[in-house]
């Protein structure tokens, strides 16, 4: 398996523009997580999905952020409009979730480094 | 509430020595998993080792071992025979019945030649 695939790897955009980050999880994984990493705030969970259904989006900073998972093999994180404070590395991770089982690790993508100028 | 605490922002270790990175956790769930990840300067997150709450023995993976003390709610990572390539950020994480992973703030490890 190719692992979790994120695109683009780097994105530079102007303030006010729409940004879409993409993620392809590992085949067979039924949980998907979006994280944001900054020096100031560390690794923050933005939202996660189980079986394509959003379970907890309490980490989404504001309405400018939205995430979708239309099928088991694809998810997007959209920021509209983008602001300089959104600059960060955004990670997508996937995992196998089987009810009460907590013994499967999350596999991370390479991340998307977003810079909003 | 679920919480992971890493109190060492930075650590230094001499090459070939062992080092312990601290991690404490808080959860009321009886069943949970504890994980350690490594993030080198290149940025990727690499899974290192896992410990289940019901596991009787401490987990080991090569030079990595997890010192699990359930009563103290600690899950320290021990790296033996440190190598220059071990210089990285290390994150402790917990997964409980809510499915999501809770991460600590990380410890930056520098291996000195």
């Amino acid at each position: 398996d190719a692992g979790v695939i994120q695109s683009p790897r780097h994105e530079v955009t102007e303030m006010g523009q729409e940004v879409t980050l993409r993620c392809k999880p590992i085949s067979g994984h039924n949980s998907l997580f979006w994280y944001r990493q900054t020096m100031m705030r560390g690794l923050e969970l933005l939202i996660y999905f189980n079986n394509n259904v959003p379970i907890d989006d309490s980490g989404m900073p504001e309405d400018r952020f939205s995430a979708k998972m239309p099928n088991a093999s694809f998810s997007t994180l959209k920021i509209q409009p983008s602001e300089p404070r959104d600059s960060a590395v955004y990670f997508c991770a996937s995992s196998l979730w089987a009810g009460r089982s907590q013994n499967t690790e999350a596999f991370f993508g390479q991340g998307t480094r977003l810079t909003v100028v | 509430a679920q919480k992971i605490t890493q109190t060492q922002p930075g650590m230094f270790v001499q090459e070939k020595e062992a080092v312990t990175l601290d991690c404490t956790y808080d959860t009321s769930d009886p069943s949970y998993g504890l994980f350690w990840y490594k993030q080198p300067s290149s940025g990727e997150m690499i899974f290192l080792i896992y410990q289940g709450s019901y596991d009787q023995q401490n987990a080991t993976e090569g030079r990595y071992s997890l010192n699990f003390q359930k009563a103290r709610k600690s899950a320290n990572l021990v790296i033996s025979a440190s190598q220059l390539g071990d210089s990285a950020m290390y994150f402790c994480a917990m997964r409980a019945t809510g499915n999501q992973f809770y991460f600590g703030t990380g410890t930056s490890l520098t291996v000195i030649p």
Side-chain angles (χ1 to χ4, degrees):
Chain A
D1 200 316
V4 177
I5 299 173
Q6 289 186 248
S7 64
R9 291 292 308 276
H10 301 274
E11 177 80 32
V12 180
T13 190
E14 290 187 348
M15 182 174 62
Q17 296 298 306
E18 177 179 296
V19 175
T20 299
L21 311 182
R22 296 172 176 79
C23 175
K24 176 179 168 55
I26 291 174
S27 177
H29 282 185
N30 57 354
S31 289
L32 185 138
F33 308 83
W34 281 101
Y35 288 91
R36 177 172 69 176
Q37 186 177 35
T38 60
M39 289 292 292
M40 291 297 294
R41 301 174 71 90
L43 200 59
E44 302 174 274
L45 176 67
L46 300 177
I47 185 172
Y48 76 95
F49 297 82
N50 282 351
N51 297 313
N52 313 338
V53 176
I55 301 301
D56 185 352
D57 65 354
S58 59
M60 297 285 259
E62 46 197 278
D63 292 344
R64 297 185 297 107
F65 286 69
S66 62
K68 294 182 179 179
M69 192 164 186
N71 56 61
S73 58
F74 184 66
S75 177
T76 59
L77 178 68
K78 185 178 293 187
I79 308 172
Q80 166 63 20
S82 57
E83 297 182 2
R85 60 192 168 120
D86 301 330
S87 297
V89 178
Y90 291 80
F91 284 102
C92 174
S94 73
S95 181
L96 189 61
W97 174 246
R100 296 182 67 83
S101 171
Q102 296 88 30
N103 63 350
T104 49
E105 68 269 32
F107 293 82
F108 282 75
Q110 295 282 72
T112 294
R113 182 173 295 277
L114 174 65
T115 303
V116 184
V117 298
Chain B
Q2 327 279 5
K3 189 177 180 181
I4 290 280
T5 302
Q6 295 180 255
T7 58
Q8 306 156 312
M11 290 281 287
F12 292 86
V13 64
Q14 204 74 37
E15 193 178 7
K16 300 181 184 178
E17 297 294 312
V19 64
T20 298
L21 306 183
D22 294 342
C23 173
T24 58
Y25 61 92
D26 190 18
T27 181
S28 56
D29 288 339
S31 179
Y32 51 89
L34 297 158
F35 306 80
W36 277 92
Y37 286 82
K38 172 184 179 181
Q39 186 177 39
S41 58
S42 51
E44 70 267 33
M45 293 285 281
I46 302 166
F47 165 72
L48 295 177
I49 194 167
Y50 160 82
Q51 180 84 44
S53 59
Y54 293 120
D55 293 343
Q56 296 296 311
Q57 293 189 326
N58 288 341
T60 60
E61 288 287 347
R63 294 185 299 110
Y64 304 109
S65 61
L66 203 152
N67 184 0
F68 180 47
Q69 298 188 42
K70 195 170 182 177
R72 298 179 62 181
K73 292 191 174 180
S74 72
N76 299 338
L77 177 70
V78 180
I79 305 175
S80 63
S82 296
Q83 302 172 356
L84 296 179
D86 294 334
S87 294
M89 282 290 290
Y90 289 81
F91 292 93
C92 180
M94 176 175 65
R95 189 182 201 185
T97 52
N99 186 24
Q100 62 178 287
F101 289 81
Y102 296 87
F103 282 84
T105 52
T107 296
S108 176
L109 176 67
T110 302
V111 180
I112 303 168

